[in-house]
Amino acid sequence: MDDDKKLLRRIDAARTDRDRHQYWLNETLRLAAPTYRRIGGSSEPQSRIEEEDDQFDNELELVGEDFASDMISTFTPQHERWVTFEPAEDLTEGQRREIAPQLQAIGDRIFAEIERSNYYDAAQETFLMWGVSQMAIAISDMGPLNPIHFQPIEIPDLLVERGPDGNTTGKWREMELTPLEQHWLWGERYPALFPMPPQGKQNRKEKVIEGCDRDWSVPGEERWNYRIIVNRKVRLTLKFNGAGSAPIIACPFRRQSDSAWGPGPFKKATPRARVLDELGYLNLKAMNRAVDPPFSYEEDGLANYQGGMEPGQGYARAPQSKAPEAFLPETRFDASFFQVEEMRKAIKRAAYQDRPEQSGDTPPTLGQWMDEKAWNTRRKELPRDRCVREWVLPIIERVAWILAQRGELPEVRLKGGRLINVRPISPLSKAKDLEDISITGQVLSLASNIGAALQVGIPVDAKATMENVIATAKERHIVLLSEEQIAAAEMAALAKNGVDDAGAAMSLQGQGVV
């Protein structure tokens, strides 16, 4: 009982931690995901629909969808391997070759299960939440005949505890479920705890918390306590062991030293999105006044314009009365439109959705395009390591853990029967590869300059110069020929020239020229 009270206090502390950031989280959600619920808000969608009707610019919402799709393609691309697998212990080269087909079989089975699941449907929503602050997902085994189920956890439902070392030590989701819904979710596995409720008690909402907290009883081993809490009473406690045993995975975009919550990239774009929204409203008001301006008229006792003037309608006026006068606004739309485009670019840049653009009349060179593309891609390195470490690898480990529990994950064994532990390894960064290719192109351009210097008689040691340039630029793709290879190539060229000269002489002699 004391442990349950301590757990509830930890959950309350996690809720308080999230609520400290409620204002900017809700404001970012309003602009980037206006149809989603807010922290502390009603679960009824009517208020959000009315709020969305008052929104006059949705640039951040559009950029948010592009951001989610881009992050999926970057970190968990469809029909591609997110990771490779290698043994978790030192093996000889021969042993590695021996188990290579088994490692391939493990990868095939895990990614086939991911493709069979609803991951890519859920990922669009989770990465949208990542742009706000933090994403989380619950991964459940729905039985061996059913695919693994991925359930996105929205920010208003997510509670996260930050441990003393900065890592996540508790992950929970809050829900409001009826007893009947609880029976549908957990009744088959735990019929005694979640029985079919009687008719009169099926539809009343109850506060349910599902999640896991880290168990540190065995140092160096990953253990989690999985719990289901109904109306602040712990109804189910299970212990799970091993990498991938935690059913909830959470990944923040950034962490703060005093909180489990940190700002995502959309937070940087929120001020400009607010200004765009206000400009949209003001421009609409100004255009309304310009197209259908208010006017004044003299009261002559005959004409009545209080209801406005209908197009094509004739209005009688008393003789000598003054015609109606329009109040035309003196509004410059061109200045505001110019600033709007600049702010749209800034919002895209904040969410890593800016692309190389032609800023002047002269098209950029291929090298300039490559440099700018490499720079834009390198900016994504900021969240890359965390996303791989706290999202990509845990998802792979979770799917592997479920398959192992089902007995469907192939084992890796050497010929003698020795069992080999396997771990997933993230592939190299695509951004780093793109930058390396750009460096290779620049070094080869310098090589052409060295050749030009030799042609005009500048005494340059071409090979030594190239070696120095490659070392300074840390280029790793160019392979220079050795002295022996150069000598062999020269000998082959001389021999070929000799054969060609002899053949030409014989041809001329046969024609009677020589």
Side-chain angles (χ1 to χ4, degrees):
M1 186 61 68
D2 289 340
D3 290 341
D4 292 350
K5 291 181 179 179
K6 290 179 182 178
L7 174 65
L8 292 173
R9 284 198 294 268
R10 290 172 61 186
I11 294 175
D12 291 341
R15 187 183 297 106
T16 301
D17 181 26
R18 183 201 62 192
D19 291 347
R20 287 196 297 122
H21 307 275
Q22 177 175 338
Y23 175 76
W24 66 263
L25 284 172
N26 283 349
E27 182 66 6
T28 309
L29 284 169
R30 181 183 73 85
L31 294 167
T35 60
Y36 286 79
R37 291 181 298 110
R38 318 276 195 274
I39 299 172
S42 171
S43 60
E44 296 298 326
Q46 185 61 38
S47 59
R48 298 195 298 276
I49 293 174
E50 294 173 354
E51 183 183 77
E52 193 175 5
D53 287 342
D54 293 332
Q55 195 169 352
F56 296 91
D57 188 276
N58 64 342
E59 181 67 25
L60 187 54
E61 185 180 3
L62 297 174
V63 170
E65 292 179 355
D66 292 340
F67 170 83
S69 299
D70 190 20
M71 293 301 104
I72 292 173
S73 177
T74 300
F75 294 108
T76 58
Q78 197 167 10
H79 308 306
E80 291 186 29
R81 295 295 181 92
W82 312 346
V83 298
T84 57
F85 293 88
E86 70 172 24
E89 50 195 282
D90 292 333
L91 298 177
T92 65
E93 188 63 31
Q95 290 173 328
R96 286 179 175 271
R97 287 196 299 269
E98 179 185 338
I99 65 173
Q102 301 177 58
L103 296 177
Q104 179 71 25
I106 287 180
D108 291 343
R109 184 66 187 90
I110 289 175
F111 283 101
E113 188 64 29
I114 292 176
E115 292 285 346
R116 193 167 75 105
S117 73
N118 68 323
Y119 169 76
Y120 288 100
D121 294 333
Q124 188 73 26
E125 184 175 341
T126 55
F127 276 106
L128 180 63
M129 295 295 110
W130 199 44
V132 176
S133 174
Q134 185 155 191
M135 59 180 171
I137 199 166
I139 308 176
S140 306
D141 181 11
M142 308 305 290
L145 299 180
N146 298 312
I148 293 175
H149 182 67
F150 291 80
Q151 177 64 45
I153 303 175
E154 298 179 22
I155 286 175
D157 299 332
L158 179 62
L159 300 176
V160 180
E161 179 186 62
R162 180 184 183 275
D165 60 349
N167 291 320
T168 300
T169 55
K171 300 170 281 188
W172 305 276
R173 60 169 172 170
E174 294 184 298
M175 301 173 283
E176 287 190 356
L177 300 175
T178 65
L180 183 60
E181 291 170 334
Q182 297 171 40
H183 173 73
W184 290 341
L185 282 175
W186 303 299
E188 183 177 353
R189 283 174 288 176
Y190 316 110
L193 298 175
F194 300 96
M196 173 64 75
Q199 286 291 336
K201 298 182 179 180
Q202 288 186 350
N203 298 319
R204 73 177 190 278
K205 293 287 186 179
E206 296 180 330
K207 292 187 178 297
V208 179
I209 298 176
E210 179 194 22
C212 50
D213 54 278
R214 187 69 185 266
D215 180 0
W216 300 100
S217 60
V218 181
E221 184 175 337
E222 184 173 345
R223 289 170 172 255
W224 295 91
N225 297 317
Y226 171 75
R227 310 176 198 262
I228 299 177
I229 304 168
V230 181
N231 293 332
R232 297 188 66 82
K233 294 182 179 179
V234 178
R235 186 172 295 184
L236 173 68
T237 299
L238 298 174
K239 292 186 178 294
F240 294 139
N241 303 330
S245 58
I248 293 178
I249 296 171
C251 176
F253 192 88
R254 282 191 182 92
R255 278 197 177 93
Q256 298 182 175
S257 59
D258 62 342
S259 175
W261 295 84
F266 299 168
K267 174 66 171 61
K268 297 178 292 184
T270 300
R272 291 184 177 89
R274 279 203 298 257
V275 174
L276 277 179
D277 189 52
E278 186 67 18
L279 277 177
Y281 169 68
L282 294 176
N283 282 334
L284 189 61
K285 282 181 64 176
M287 283 188 282
N288 184 34
R289 288 178 180 175
V291 174
D292 189 12
F295 57 89
S296 67
Y297 62 94
E298 285 188 353
E299 179 62 59
D300 57 10
L302 178 63
N304 183 3
Y305 301 107
Q306 290 184 0
M309 301 177 69
E310 294 293 331
Q313 181 70 37
Y315 294 92
R317 291 189 291 113
Q320 306 301 320
S321 64
K322 189 178 179 181
E325 236 180 310
F327 295 145
L328 295 174
E330 298 180 0
T331 305
R332 285 191 59 192
F333 296 102
D334 55 344
S336 62
F337 285 153
F338 173 75
Q339 294 189 9
V340 162
E341 290 306 313
E342 292 298 319
M343 283 186 283
R344 293 192 193 283
K345 290 180 182 179
I347 289 174
K348 290 179 181 178
R349 177 175 173 79
Y352 307 99
Q353 295 308 300
D354 52 327
R355 300 289 187 267
E357 295 182 359
Q358 180 178 331
S359 56
D361 295 332
T362 305
T365 64
L366 176 61
Q368 290 173 325
W369 275 102
M370 290 292 291
D371 290 344
E372 189 171 353
K373 180 65 176 175
W375 166 249
N376 287 345
T377 310
R378 190 164 61 247
R379 288 195 297 120
K380 295 179 185 176
E381 289 293 331
L382 174 66
R384 182 180 295 273
D385 289 343
R386 176 174 290 125
C387 187
V388 170
R389 186 176 61 253
E390 300 185 28
W391 186 258
V392 176
L393 297 182
I395 288 177
I396 296 296
E397 291 171 348
R398 176 63 179 166
V399 173
W401 188 87
I402 291 175
L403 293 177
Q405 297 298 309
R406 293 179 181 178
E408 298 177 8
L409 189 69
E411 291 184 340
V412 177
R413 293 182 180 273
L414 295 174
K415 288 183 178 178
R418 175 184 166 192
L419 183 64
I420 303 298
N421 293 322
V422 177
R423 62 185 176 189
I425 299 296
S426 173
L428 292 175
S429 166
K430 294 180 181 178
K432 186 63 172 63
D433 293 342
L434 185 62
E435 185 177 353
D436 288 347
I437 292 173
S438 177
I439 292 174
T440 300
Q442 295 173 12
V443 171
L444 291 175
S445 297
L446 289 174
S448 64
N449 295 336
I450 296 173
L454 290 173
Q455 290 180 355
V456 298
I458 299 177
V460 175
D461 186 336
K463 189 171 189 299
T465 303
M466 279 298 299
E467 289 174 347
N468 291 336
V469 169
I470 290 173
T472 302
K474 295 182 174 58
E475 202 288 324
R476 59 188 181 92
H477 293 101
I478 297 175
V479 179
L480 298 178
L481 296 176
S482 64
E483 296 289 348
E484 292 78 8
Q485 290 173 322
I486 295 174
E490 290 176 349
M491 291 294 295
L494 290 174
K496 184 176 184 303
N497 291 336
V499 171
D500 291 343
D501 292 343
M506 292 178 63
S507 176
L508 292 173
Q509 188 175 13
Q511 296 175 9
V513 177
V514 179

